[in-house]
Amino acid sequence: DAKTTQPPSMDCAEGRAANLPCNHSTISGNEYVYWYRQIHSQGPQYIIHGLKNNETNEMASLIITEDRKSSTLILPHATLRDTAVYYCIERGGSNYKLTFGKGTLLTVNP
Amino acid sequence: NAGVTQTPKFQVLKTGQSMTLQCAQDMNHEYMSWYRQDPGMGLRLIHYSVGAGITDQGEVPNGYNVSRSTTEDFPLRLLSAAPSQTSVYFCASSYRAGRGTDTYEQYFGPGTRLTVT
């Protein structure tokens, strides 16, 4: 079973920032937080990952709390194409396997 | 690079039939895996491989076989299809641990939609 907890759905207005929360209360010291998304009917797509520090790439920013029990994925300017299911996943440094929960369905509205 | 390719895109089988879902990648990735996704659910790991000649079971392996004779290909065989195997199947690949990156970003194929009647 997935170890992370995410809200089942969220809405966001186009052009605004989308902030997707994730709780990972049992995360261990060597586990990274990964975010993937799945646009309708497509294969999941990697977004970003982090261990302790906040991370940013061309797609999103990842904020990890100091105790590492929760994280937030930020899409700074959401577009309609960002409508997707977003998965927060914990993974150990040498563990390739991904355990998916049900994720958060983000709907970006015009 | 074509990335991860899967064939066929759609398949309908009758109960008891067997078939092989094909997966190939051209990124020289050591790690490959198969997931299934049922409606409204997250992906569940079926089988995975950390290199040619090495395979292992995931969360839901029953009814499926895999083999890995080359780095590029990782076929999934349904031995005797059942309606419970109606699902969308995704193949994924990534670099193996210790190859100079801790990203292990997994690249997913477009999926095979299988219906068993």
Side-chain angles (χ1 to χ4, degrees):
Chain A
D1 289 348
K3 295 161 55 180
T4 59
T5 304
Q6 299 177 253
S9 64
M10 295 182 64
D11 287 295
C12 177
E14 188 178 18
R16 305 297 292 267
N19 297 282
L20 292 91
C22 178
N23 287 330
H24 23 89
S25 56
T26 60
I27 193 168
S28 58
N30 69 341
E31 288 184 312
Y32 290 78
V33 177
Y34 277 74
W35 284 83
Y36 279 75
R37 74 179 182 182
Q38 187 175 24
I39 296 170
H40 180 64
S41 298
Q42 298 180 19
Q45 175 192 22
Y46 165 83
I47 301 173
I48 198 168
H49 77 288
L51 184 62
K52 296 180 183 178
N53 300 320
N54 299 338
E55 302 288 344
T56 296
N57 63 20
E58 64 278 5
M59 289 183 68
S61 295
L62 174 60
I63 308 296
I64 301 174
T65 58
E66 194 169 342
D67 64 4
R68 303 210 322 123
K69 300 302 184 185
S70 65
S71 64
T72 302
L73 178 75
I74 301 172
L75 307 179
H77 305 286
T79 70
L80 299 179
R81 288 175 295 180
D82 292 321
T83 293
V85 177
Y86 288 77
Y87 298 99
C88 166
I89 299 167
E90 299 166 2
R91 187 167 79 175
S94 61
N95 180 9
Y96 325 99
K97 293 183 278 186
L98 299 175
T99 301
F100 288 82
K102 294 185 180 181
T104 296
L105 172 60
L106 174 69
T107 303
V108 181
N109 300 304
Chain B
N1 287 351
V4 179
T5 58
Q6 293 184 236
T7 55
K9 286 188 169 56
F10 300 94
Q11 183 69 50
V12 178
L13 290 178
K14 294 187 187 306
T15 297
Q17 288 184 316
S18 63
M19 79 159 294
T20 299
L21 280 61
Q22 302 292 344
C23 175
Q25 52 90 11
D26 60 358
M27 297 173 282
N28 201 30
H29 286 169
E30 290 93 340
Y31 178 74
M32 296 185 73
S33 56
W34 277 101
Y35 293 86
R36 62 175 287 175
Q37 185 173 33
D38 300 319
M41 304 290 288
L43 283 72
R44 292 184 292 170
L45 183 64
I46 304 172
H47 285 287
Y48 65 97
S49 168
V50 298
I54 306 169
T55 64
D56 207 345
Q57 296 181 351
E59 181 186 354
V60 287
N62 291 341
Y64 307 95
N65 272 0
V66 292
S67 60
R68 185 95 179 271
S69 56
T70 67
T71 299
E72 295 77 19
D73 301 298
F74 191 43
L76 178 72
R77 279 182 287 278
L78 279 70
L79 308 173
S80 177
S84 61
Q85 294 178 304
T86 293
S87 190
V88 181
Y89 291 84
F90 291 101
C91 179
S93 73
S94 72
Y95 288 108
R96 188 175 182 178
R99 293 289 295 222
T101 175
D102 65 353
T103 302
Y104 310 141
E105 172 186 348
Q106 290 202 17
Y107 296 81
F108 284 81
T112 293
R113 284 143 187 82
L114 175 68
T115 301
V116 183
T117 60

